[in-house]
């Protein structure tokens, strides 16, 4: 299918304009936000070969949204988080090549000297010191420094670290990073709501539209009288690497209360003999992303399009139809971006309820109308980037119409509502309602997708609506029945 983004067609266009901001997650300190007032143990000064850093939503700072665990397995490397011993420090002064810290008491100073002396025991020993937001200048984020040696001034309880400024991508050669969550069932709803705010895709949108489709002798229009979607998609992004080699990258998507309704009217005059497909973007909605400066960025965008496929159509009428499609909350999609063979998905067949089809004139041919929401997610973490698209055709209404004529009544009595007068002309309609979903993933900067997978489609998702016939033209049988009743 080709995409026509001809904005000249957009009559009632881009109704939704939003101001979106990327939310910067805030560091969650090891003992919670108020760690300065809590007692910290000297073991916080220990050099470690694994350290976990958590970030959370600014309004709900104790709830983890991002978890970065850094591994330093080599004998010559280590890591320490200043947040673990910040309360033991008096002053901290930073220059281009050093961090000087004065301890509040001699016991803490002595402990630090004992554990940090390791760095000077071998020429190439070094450790990473992660400096919290607010220290070393006015930084609002955690920053890593590489410490290559330490001098001590015991009379002042002061340690002077020889440092080089670094960045997360350089120091985190081996890490696990988890952003967002799709399984938070153990925590309270209030907390859940706040987590959701950061890593979910809001699907609550209302989008009226009206587009002209013109092709040769056909003048037609599709318009929506009731098109909206509701619910949200929960996300989780996990990425791992070992010695700069990616060892895992996955994205999990789960719907929560997601449904879409489309009640669409197709009207026209004229005809086309060839098949004609048009897709119009209704609205593009960039949603609030989240980021951790220097570590990761996560940005979703939602696009709603409407498409129409017409084939061999002759029309002087309007057709109104529609459906609602609803996803089960049990649906889940787990994309393995490094090994697509391990992609897992289930439960994505939406429950579809058709809205009555009505035809008010003569029409023959095939008309398919579908709503096409798509979600794009861009996730970038420590130098690795992925783009994922979840493309839907929900609902997809596919109607075949044929004009029929008969002096004895065009529509069979069984196909018209009881009490409806017989008429000489009619439109016989058979319609299917269905849905299609696929996902596509690619590595940022590369043209070819990593994979494209259909996660719901096919026969089970394309069921027929009852055969219908819409009478029009001259009334016939009704008059003769009345006449015979009045004049026996
Ligand atoms: C953070 O991630 C690490 C490793 O993946 C895990 O062991 C740890 O339990 C996680 N911590 C939190 C608070 O989620
Ligand atoms: C430090 O030296 C040891 C032995 O010479 C070597 O195995 C190790 O890889 C070196 N580490 C770094 C970070 O250069
Ligand atoms: C913060 O630091 C930047 C440069 O590092 C400087 O330009 C800016 O003026 C500082 N802001 C404050 C409030 O000190
Ligand atoms: C739109 O469709 C929904 C779902 O079928 C229905 O609940 C709602 O009343 C409709 N709104 C209008 C204005 O028709
Ligand atoms: C209406 O169409 C269906 C299928 O296209 C066909 O089986 C049926 O005979 C048609 N009815 C009339 C009255 O033409």
């Amino acid at each position: 299918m080709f995409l026509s983004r001809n904005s000249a067609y957009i009559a009632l266009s881009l109704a939704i304009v939003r101001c979106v901001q990327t939310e910067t997650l805030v560091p969650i300190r090891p003992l919670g936000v108020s760690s300065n007032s809590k007692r910290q143990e000297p073991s916080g000064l220990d050099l470690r070969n694994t350290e976990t850093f958590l970030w959370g939503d600014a309004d709900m700072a104790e709830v983890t949204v991002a978890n970065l665990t850094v591994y330093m397995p080599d004998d010559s490397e280590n890591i320490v988080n200043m947040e673990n011993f910040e309360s033991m420090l008096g002053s901290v002064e930073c220059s281009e090549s050093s961090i000087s810290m004065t301890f509040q008491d001699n016991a803490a100073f002595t402990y630090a000297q004992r554990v940090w002396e390791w760095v000077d025991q071998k020429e190439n020993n070094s450790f990473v010191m992660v400096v919290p937001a607010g220290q070393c200048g006015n930084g609002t984020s955690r920053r890593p420094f590489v410490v290559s040696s330490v001098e001590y001034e015991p009379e002042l309880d002061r340690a002077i670290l020889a440092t080089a400024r670094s960045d997360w991508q350089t120091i985190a050669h081996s890490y696990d990073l988890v952003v967002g969550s799709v399984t938070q069932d153990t925590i309270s709803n209030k907390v859940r709501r706040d987590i959701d705010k950061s890593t979910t895709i809001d699907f609550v949108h209302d989008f009226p539209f009206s587009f002209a489709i013109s092709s040769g002798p056909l003048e037609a229009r599709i318009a929506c009288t009731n098109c909206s979607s509701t619910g949200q998609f929960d996300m989780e992004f996990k990425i791992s690497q070992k010695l700069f080699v990616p060892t895992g990258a996955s994205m999990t998507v789960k719907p929560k209360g997601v449904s879409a309704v489309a009640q669409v009217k197709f009207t026209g005059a004229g005809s086309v003999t060839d098949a004609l497909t048009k897709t119009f973007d209704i609205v593009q909605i960039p949603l609030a992303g989240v980021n951790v400066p220097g570590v990761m960025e996560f940005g979703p965008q939602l696009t709603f399009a409407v498409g129409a496929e017409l084939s061999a159509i002759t029309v002087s009428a309007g057709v109104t139809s529609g459906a609602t499609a609803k996803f089960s909350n049990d649906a889940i999609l787990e994309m393995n971006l490094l090994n697509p063979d391990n992609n897992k998905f289930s439960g994505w067949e939406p429950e579809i309820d058709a809205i009555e089809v009505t035809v008010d004139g003569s029409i023959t041919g095939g008309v398919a109308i579908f709503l096409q929401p798509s979600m794009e997610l861009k996730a970038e973490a420590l130098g690795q980037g992925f783009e994922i698209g979840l493309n839907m055709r929900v609902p997809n209404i596919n109607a075949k119409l044929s004009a029929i004529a008969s002096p004895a009544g065009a529509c069979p009595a069984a196909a018209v509502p009881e009490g409806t007068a017989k008429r000489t002309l009619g439109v016989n309609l058979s319609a299917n309602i269905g849905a299609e979903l696929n996902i596509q993933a690619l590595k940022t900067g590369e043209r070819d997708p990593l994979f494209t997978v259909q996660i719901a489609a096919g026969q089970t998702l394309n069921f027929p609506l009852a055969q219908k016939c819409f009478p029009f033209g001259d009334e016939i049988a009704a008059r003769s029945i009345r006449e015979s009743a009045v004049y026996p």
Side-chain angles (χ1 to χ4, degrees):
M1 164 186 5
F2 72 94
L3 289 186
S4 158
R5 290 167 194 274
N6 192 338
S7 54
Y9 284 126
I10 300 175
L12 215 172
S13 62
L14 311 186
I16 305 168
V17 177
R18 291 187 174 217
C19 184
V20 277
Q21 274 182 334
T22 296
E23 181 190 7
T24 299
L25 300 179
V26 298
I28 300 176
R29 287 164 177 261
L31 290 175
V33 264
S34 54
S35 68
N36 281 332
S37 62
K38 293 195 184 144
R39 189 173 158 71
Q40 291 184 311
E41 298 296 327
S43 60
L45 293 154
D46 290 348
L47 303 180
R48 305 176 186 211
N49 52 30
T50 302
E51 185 62 82
T52 290
F53 302 89
L54 306 176
W55 286 266
D57 190 276
D59 300 332
M60 192 64 200
E62 312 235 4
V63 178
T64 304
V65 175
N67 173 345
L68 173 68
T69 301
V70 178
Y71 302 97
M72 298 270 167
D74 195 89
D75 284 346
S76 63
E77 60 182 1
N78 270 306
I79 186 164
V80 64
N81 182 1
M82 196 192 283
E83 287 164 357
N84 285 325
F85 58 87
E86 210 177 355
S87 70
M88 300 173 196
L89 300 176
S91 68
V92 178
E93 278 155 37
C94 305
S95 76
E96 267 308 298
S97 58
S98 73
I99 299 175
S100 155
M101 43 185 89
T102 307
F103 287 82
Q104 284 182 356
D105 63 57
N106 182 256
F109 168 79
T110 310
Y111 191 101
Q113 178 167 15
R114 183 166 61 77
V115 294
W116 293 354
E117 264 171 356
W118 166 88
V119 78
D120 293 302
Q121 280 165 8
K122 282 210 179 119
E123 168 111 44
N124 73 352
N125 282 357
S126 67
F127 65 88
V128 172
M129 168 80 69
V130 176
V131 169
Q135 291 286 12
C136 291
N138 60 12
T140 54
S141 55
R142 291 168 165 146
R143 286 144 302 145
F145 291 79
V146 176
V147 180
S148 51
S149 94
V150 185
E151 278 173 34
Y152 304 92
E153 293 178 352
E155 65 285 1
L156 297 170
D157 293 332
R158 180 189 291 159
I160 299 162
L161 290 67
T163 57
R165 187 181 280 272
S166 189
D167 57 61
W168 287 100
Q169 200 174 318
T170 308
I171 65 106
H173 55 71
S174 304
Y175 66 83
D176 292 319
L177 172 67
V178 181
V179 182
S181 175
V182 292
T183 48
Q184 294 282 351
D185 295 337
T186 50
I187 57 175
S188 78
N189 281 337
K190 161 87 181 86
V191 169
R192 214 199 128 75
R193 266 204 310 282
D194 287 302
I195 294 175
D196 289 351
K197 223 174 59 187
S198 298
T199 54
T200 61
I201 296 195
D202 172 18
F203 204 58
V204 182
H205 304 285
D206 202 343
F207 37 84
F209 61 81
S210 173
F211 298 104
I213 307 171
S214 297
S215 177
L218 175 73
E219 286 285 340
R221 173 168 290 277
I222 47 175
C224 189
T225 48
N226 184 7
C227 287
S228 63
S229 61
T230 188
Q232 64 183 45
F233 289 94
D234 287 356
M235 301 287 148
E236 186 177 84
F237 180 57
K238 283 189 187 171
I239 190 161
S240 302
Q241 79 173 19
K242 207 167 173 184
L243 299 173
F244 296 113
V245 177
T247 52
S250 66
M251 174 91 85
T252 304
V253 180
K254 233 177 131 33
K256 187 132 62 55
V258 170
S259 68
V261 54
Q263 194 167 348
V264 181
K265 179 159 187 163
F266 172 79
T267 48
S271 62
V272 279
T273 47
D274 297 332
L276 173 70
T277 300
K278 294 233 174 195
T279 308
F280 305 95
D281 279 1
I282 304 167
V283 61
Q284 233 174 32
I285 307 163
L287 302 173
V290 291
N291 79 25
V292 172
V295 177
M296 67 95 190
E297 247 186 277
F298 191 85
Q301 172 164 298
L302 203 58
T303 305
F304 283 95
V306 60
E309 283 171 10
L310 309 178
S311 56
I313 193 166
T314 300
V315 65
S316 63
V319 184
T320 306
S321 179
T324 62
K326 193 167 152 192
F327 290 109
S328 158
N329 288 351
D330 294 334
I332 187 157
L333 165 62
E334 292 174 62
M335 284 167 275
N336 188 320
L337 299 163
L338 297 186
N339 190 357
D341 288 346
N342 293 344
N343 284 341
K344 283 187 206 142
F345 48 85
S346 61
W348 286 91
E349 294 75 24
E351 185 186 305
I352 293 174
D353 284 319
I355 296 167
E356 279 295 279
V357 184
T358 58
V359 175
D360 59 22
S362 177
I363 178 166
T364 64
V367 180
I369 295 175
F370 46 87
L371 211 55
Q372 197 169 276
S374 62
M375 272 175 3
E376 269 165 54
L377 306 167
K378 281 189 189 179
E380 184 108 39
L382 298 164
Q384 302 197 57
F386 295 96
E387 290 169 28
I388 287 133
L390 176 61
N391 307 306
M392 296 166 254
R393 262 194 185 199
V394 279
N396 184 10
I397 306 151
N398 209 321
K400 285 199 170 54
L401 304 125
S402 51
I404 46 180
S406 162
C411 290
V416 298
E418 216 169 304
T420 307
K422 275 195 168 184
R423 290 169 186 267
T424 53
L425 302 174
V427 171
N428 184 18
L429 167 130
S430 66
N432 283 336
I433 295 226
E436 267 178 48
L437 269 89
N438 74 50
I439 44 164
Q440 196 174 60
L442 57 82
K443 221 168 149 47
T444 299
E446 289 181 12
R447 278 177 68 89
D448 296 329
L450 292 165
F451 58 83
T452 303
V453 189
Q454 196 111 61
I455 59 171
Q459 284 309 307
T460 52
L461 269 180
N462 199 9
F463 62 85
L465 289 181
Q467 198 88 47
K468 281 203 142 195
C469 193
F470 300 91
F472 65 100
D474 294 337
E475 266 187 41
I476 41 167
R479 196 179 56 214
S480 57
I481 289 165
R482 194 174 61 236
E483 281 171 356
S484 62
V486 176
Y487 305 106

